[in-house]
Amino acid sequence: MAEIIHPFYESHRGAMEAVMRHRLDLAEAMLCERAHLSNIDGIRQEVMDEFEIVLTQMPYVGGAASRMSDFFMRLMGFMAISRVLRRHGVSPSVISEIERETYKAQLLTVPEAERLASGRQFMSSENQTLLREQATKSATKSHQKEFPEDFVYDFVEPGPGNNFEFGINYKACGFCKFAARHGDKEILPNICGLDFDAYATRGIHLERTQTLAGGANHCNFRFSRLPSD
């Protein structure tokens, strides 16, 4: 019996596959020069086939009502890339380097004004209010029972002497749960490394000194605005 893709992800499947094909276009030269792979057409097909598997494995955490659904849809494709490159003997450090540079290049295809507007919205008081509400909800027993594969996090207010505007402590990570379930722990740190460019390209400085994937008891995200030119 064929594995089923959740209807929410199925409705976004075309867009996610287009993003994956674009990533592979951007990564092509690096796959040749740094990963020393030659059959790039074959690698592309392997990655897209693996992505089909990843789509069936992606946990549903509430769809459009959950901010974390977007994280899964934007980043889970890198699990497919990592799996394929690992099977071809590419080292974890090279995989991480290729994926991070590919993601940054893809993010930078969005016009700067649009990226910076998105960053301002993320840092806005209105979004901070929403983050507080969703953080509180994520920790409730009812939410964790309904969506056991979701993230659990706290909103962090800055204290005296802090130089960040707000923070998030992730106490449970959906990517960590996914990696544990599907044997992807070795490539899990690749996902963590993408966060810095994701925020920097939107004018946001992310400081993070520990992660769940690295063995800490929480991921400590701290956000502040990058100085404008």
Side-chain angles (χ1 to χ4, degrees), residues 156-167 207 221-224:
V156 180
E157 305 280 1
N162 289 143
N163 58 0
F164 62 89
E165 294 187 42
F166 68 90
E207 182 178 350
F221 285 64
R222 301 293 183 265
F223 302 104
S224 56

Side-chain angles (χ1 to χ4, degrees), residues 32-76:
C32 295
E33 296 164 9
R34 302 187 198 180
H36 307 296
L37 299 172
S38 55
N39 181 15
I40 301 303
D41 287 342
I43 295 294
R44 292 173 70 99
Q45 189 58 54
E46 278 188 63
V47 169
M48 295 308 295
D49 290 345
E50 190 66 37
F51 186 54
E52 292 295 303
I53 295 171
V54 169
L55 285 172
T56 69
Q57 297 171 337
M58 283 171 61
Y60 179 68
V61 294
S66 169
R67 62 183 285 265
M68 306 317 297
S69 296
D70 183 58
F71 282 77
F72 281 133
M73 290 191 292
R74 282 191 288 112
L75 299 180
M76 201 65 88

Side-chain angles (χ1 to χ4, degrees), residues 53-123:
I53 295 171
V54 169
L55 285 172
T56 69
Q57 297 171 337
M58 283 171 61
Y60 179 68
V61 294
S66 169
R67 62 183 285 265
M68 306 317 297
S69 296
D70 183 58
F71 282 77
F72 281 133
M73 290 191 292
R74 282 191 288 112
L75 299 180
M76 201 65 88
F78 286 103
M79 285 291 192
I81 296 173
S82 291
R83 287 176 181 177
V84 171
L85 296 186
R86 183 176 59 175
R87 287 201 293 264
H88 282 268
V90 183
S91 70
S93 62
V94 172
I95 294 173
S96 177
E97 179 183 294
I98 290 172
E99 291 184 340
R100 185 164 177 176
E101 291 189 31
T102 298
Y103 190 44
K104 182 177 182 180
Q106 189 170 45
L107 291 167
L108 290 175
T109 63
V110 177
E112 182 181 38
E114 186 177 331
R115 287 186 278 110
L116 295 180
S118 173
R120 289 192 295 272
Q121 191 281 327
F122 179 79
M123 299 297 293

